Amino acid sequence: MKELMRAPFMVEMIRIVTNMYDHGWDERNGGNVSVLLDENEWKEYLPAVHALRVISTGFAAPELEGKCFLVTGTGKYFRNVQYAPDVNLGIVRLRDGGRNAELLWGFSDGGSFTSEFPAHMMSHAARRKVDPKNRVVMHCHPANLLAMTYVHSLDERAFTRTLWQMCTECIIVFPDGVNVLPWMLCGTNEIGEATARKMETARLVVWAQHGIYAAGRDLDETFGLIETAEKAAEIYLKIAHLPLVNTISDEALHQLEVRFGVKAREGWLAPELRSGPDVRGEAK
Ligand code: 2HA
Ligand code: ZN
């Protein structure tokens, strides 16, 4: 049997949550991450697998029946994952239409998956309808994005446009923009359902006065999404109180779309200004 601690998905998970902690995004038990595991991959490491325990999820997710996830534990600290992965992480397989989860490995102190498991599983289901290659859902509390939700309009188009204008790279990294939920009680099925609905149109969902959710195909890409949005929010907070002299115009953002082959969220940029007589109705 292959050594589970050497599995690429395990090595990458430990590396990423440690990195998230080092970025200051996951104080104390803040944040949670789940990765959908490829069946062929995890079976190499857990061949004669049986359920150690069955944990009730409190929701249904029939689309995820039989699927396996590597997930962070409730009340656990990201900074401790590297020292005791088997306590702070778990591998679970959903069954009974998602109503129960079989614990296959981990949470060895009797623990359980993150309190945000509903938001994670519902977001996986929603994102995989848009992108069947989606495998990761990540939540954390980055300070600048969080701070921005206290001083900036929560209108999704306005919030996204501000971020796009803060760094040239933003529109390339998240052309689908950022969706925003108003403050809601966390850890509930309600916030899970609301997050999943927002995930249908964007890979980033801000939870006002709380943090951010991101979805992606792998841990690196998903981390990079949050990192880029957080950097833009940092720049916004550095300049928000100063007179704005320059910005990235919509025309420039359109140029980025063309150069990098991305398409900004429909209607979130001003229509392209096309020069020439046809635009002014002066056709000869
Ligand atoms: O588990 O971040 O939203 C800690 C959290 C809850
Ligand atoms: Zn949180």
Side-chain angles (χ1 to χ4, degrees), residues 262-281:
V262 296
K263 188 81 197 81
R265 179 89 157 259
E266 190 65 39
W268 284 19
L269 290 180
E272 253 175 297
L273 298 170
R274 288 189 295 131
S275 53
D278 52 334
V279 172
R280 297 191 302 271

Side-chain angles (χ1 to χ4, degrees), residues 157-172:
R157 181 174 182 271
F159 201 94
T160 297
R161 287 177 52 82
T162 296
L163 293 178
W164 282 348
Q165 287 162 354
M166 292 304 110
C167 301
T168 295
E169 292 277 305
C170 280
I171 196 163
I172 305 163

Side-chain angles (χ1 to χ4, degrees), residues 141-158:
H141 306 157
N144 295 292
L145 278 163
L146 229 152
M148 198 171 150
T149 68
Y150 287 87
V151 296
H152 194 284
S153 153
L154 298 182
D155 175 79
E156 291 168 340
R157 181 174 182 271

Side-chain angles (χ1 to χ4, degrees), residues 203-220:
R203 292 171 300 151
L204 284 167
V205 179
V206 167
W207 282 7
Q209 294 87 47
H210 182 138
I212 191 159
Y213 263 78
R217 293 180 173 186
D218 61 45
L219 284 162
D220 244 2

